[in-house]
Amino acid sequence: AQKITQTQPGMFVQEKEAVTLDCTYDTSDPSYGLFWYKQPSSGEMIFLIYQGSYDQQNATEGRYSLNFQKARKSANLVISASQLGDSAMYFCAMREDYYGGSQGNLIFGKGTKLSVKP
Amino acid sequence: DTAVSQTPKYLVTQMGNDKSIKCEQNLGHDTMYWYKQDSKKFLKIMFSYNNKELIINETVPNRFSPKSPDKAHLNLHINSLELGDSAVYFCASSQQTSGGITGELFFGEGSRLTVL
């Protein structure tokens, strides 16, 4: 079974509008971390935002926010006021903490390609 | 000053050759990783080292051999290259997750390997 599921292979959004990229995860560990990364066409991996499983508040970083619904095991990324430079692949990832003994590695979803239209 | 640097950025070689990719991080992190990104953009962990000790060794052909001379370096050597090895290989590092550290991975720019 996939640990991280991103059901939207591709998304379009109009410039200046908000967009939500979906991510669901599967773990039985009570402690875990959820991450979003951006990969523009130039290829580098850019860390965007982090949500810990015990965090009470949804994480926010500038125009990025993470809609964390623990019971539904979802961690959707919301990008507000989309810009042309937001066009990229977006990856959701999870780190399982294995009851305090995390190996540190992230498990990635298959990604969503976001295209921002002018 | 690049945090995680890997060389070379591009590598084109013939089937059957042996090649190496080098990675260095100047962040003082204890853990380093190699990920493979295939043509469909899927990122998969290959290896992980913590303070020079191998801690993750996924199901990877034994033609792939990581080497960590010290905790700031993690190199990847590939023997007898095959067409299916063509991919982008990313090196990454992270800090131990404790005391509020989120543990995000810091990635290098990637090394695009093309096997002809």
Side-chain angles (χ1 to χ4, degrees):
Chain A
Q2 285 186 58
K3 295 252 183 182
I4 296 286
T5 303
Q6 295 180 253
T7 56
Q8 307 150 314
M11 289 273 290
F12 286 92
V13 64
Q14 201 69 37
E15 195 178 5
K16 298 180 187 176
E17 291 185 351
V19 63
T20 298
L21 306 184
D22 295 342
C23 173
T24 56
Y25 59 92
D26 181 26
T27 182
S28 55
D29 198 317
S31 177
Y32 50 90
L34 297 160
F35 302 77
W36 278 91
Y37 280 82
K38 173 183 178 181
Q39 187 178 40
S41 58
S42 49
E44 70 269 33
M45 293 290 290
I46 302 167
F47 166 67
L48 295 178
I49 196 165
Y50 165 82
Q51 180 86 41
S53 57
Y54 293 119
D55 293 343
Q56 297 293 318
Q57 305 273 0
N58 285 344
T60 59
E61 288 286 350
R63 293 185 299 111
Y64 304 109
S65 59
L66 200 152
N67 185 357
F68 182 43
Q69 311 234 344
K70 196 168 181 176
R72 292 185 179 181
K73 293 190 175 178
S74 78
N76 298 340
L77 177 71
V78 180
I79 306 175
S80 63
S82 297
Q83 301 171 356
L84 295 178
D86 293 335
S87 294
M89 283 288 287
Y90 288 82
F91 293 96
C92 180
M94 176 175 66
R95 184 194 65 240
E96 292 178 299
D97 290 338
Y98 297 113
Y99 296 90
S102 173
Q103 293 178 305
N105 65 297
L106 302 189
I107 303 163
F108 284 84
K110 293 186 175 180
T112 295
K113 185 171 182 179
L114 178 67
S115 299
V116 180
K117 297 187 288 186
Chain B
D1 198 20
T2 308
V4 182
S5 58
Q6 47 183 116
T7 54
K9 194 168 181 182
Y10 298 97
L11 197 49
V12 181
T13 188
Q14 300 286 333
M15 273 176 55
N17 284 351
D18 303 339
K19 289 294 175 190
S20 292
I21 306 171
K22 294 186 175 183
C23 179
E24 176 182 3
Q25 55 97 3
N26 63 6
L27 297 166
H29 292 166
D30 285 327
T31 311
M32 295 184 72
Y33 312 82
W34 278 110
Y35 277 82
K36 178 181 180 180
Q37 186 173 43
D38 63 21
S39 58
K40 294 183 179 177
K41 301 289 189 181
F42 184 54
L43 273 157
K44 189 169 164 44
I45 183 78
M46 298 174 69
F47 301 104
S48 169
Y49 271 74
N50 183 271
N51 217 355
K52 301 194 297 174
E53 182 183 340
L54 180 67
I55 57 171
I56 294 176
N57 184 353
E58 286 295 303
T59 315
V60 174
N62 58 15
R63 299 181 294 103
F64 289 78
S65 53
K67 281 195 171 51
S68 181
D70 56 59
K71 76 172 195 177
H73 294 84
L74 180 61
N75 304 325
L76 183 65
H77 187 76
I78 316 169
N79 289 329
S80 303
L81 279 156
E82 299 178 357
L83 293 176
D85 297 333
S86 295
V88 179
Y89 293 85
F90 282 98
C91 177
S93 71
S94 70
Q95 207 169 353
Q96 293 276 59
T97 52
S98 62
I101 302 295
T102 60
E104 73 265 31
L105 266 57
F106 291 75
F107 283 86
E109 292 183 320
S111 296
R112 181 176 293 277
L113 172 65
T114 303
V115 182
L116 304 174

